[in-house]
Amino acid sequence: MAREWQQTKMVDYLMPETVYYQSIWAVRDYQRMKGRLDILLSNPEKSKSSSLVKESVESYGSYRPVEDKALEIAVLKERVEGIRNALLIVPPEYRSYLISNIVMKNSGKSFTNKAWRMWKQIFLYQVAINLSIM
């Protein structure tokens, strides 16, 4: 895998290396998160227990399926919307370049111009802000 580089000339958008890579991996994980969110929202899971009555009081605190599902939905919504909103900042003509470079790991040598690199830096910076990792 090729090494990822930040645009160091864009001082306002420089991030710590760990934050930069977290942003990249969040974008690469976008499709999986979106798919999981769609599944959670469209298919209500049935209770794993056939009975609504619990056998003992001790088990009430250890397994909370509704709370767990609600928490997962909330986290996934925040992450998916954060990435989507960051992508909306980028002009439409550069979005395909960004996705190709970040998700499909295309080097970008075949792209017609190099302005997409600037937008990649801005996009990843905004992803970091939206996901509260910076």
Side-chain angles (χ1 to χ4, degrees), residues 15-93:
M15 298 174 274
E17 190 172 317
T18 53
V19 173
Y20 181 75
Y21 279 104
Q22 285 179 48
S23 297
I24 287 173
W25 283 105
V27 173
R28 287 180 179 161
D29 196 31
Y30 175 78
Q31 287 299 324
R32 183 202 60 84
M33 290 187 294
K34 188 172 180 289
R36 176 70 179 149
L37 183 60
D38 291 342
I39 289 170
L40 288 171
L41 293 175
S42 65
N43 296 331
E45 295 178 27
K46 294 187 178 184
S47 176
K48 293 181 179 170
S49 172
S50 60
S51 172
L52 296 176
V53 178
K54 297 275 185 180
E55 292 296 323
S56 65
V57 175
E58 299 91 41
S59 64
Y60 282 122
S62 62
Y63 180 64
R64 298 178 174 175
V66 174
E67 182 180 319
D68 293 345
K69 181 179 175 182
L71 184 61
E72 184 179 4
I73 288 171
V75 169
L76 287 172
K77 268 187 181 178
E78 179 184 9
R79 293 181 67 84
V80 166
E81 289 173 6
I83 294 168
R84 185 181 306 133
N85 291 339
L87 194 58
L88 292 176
I89 293 171
V90 178
E93 61 268 18

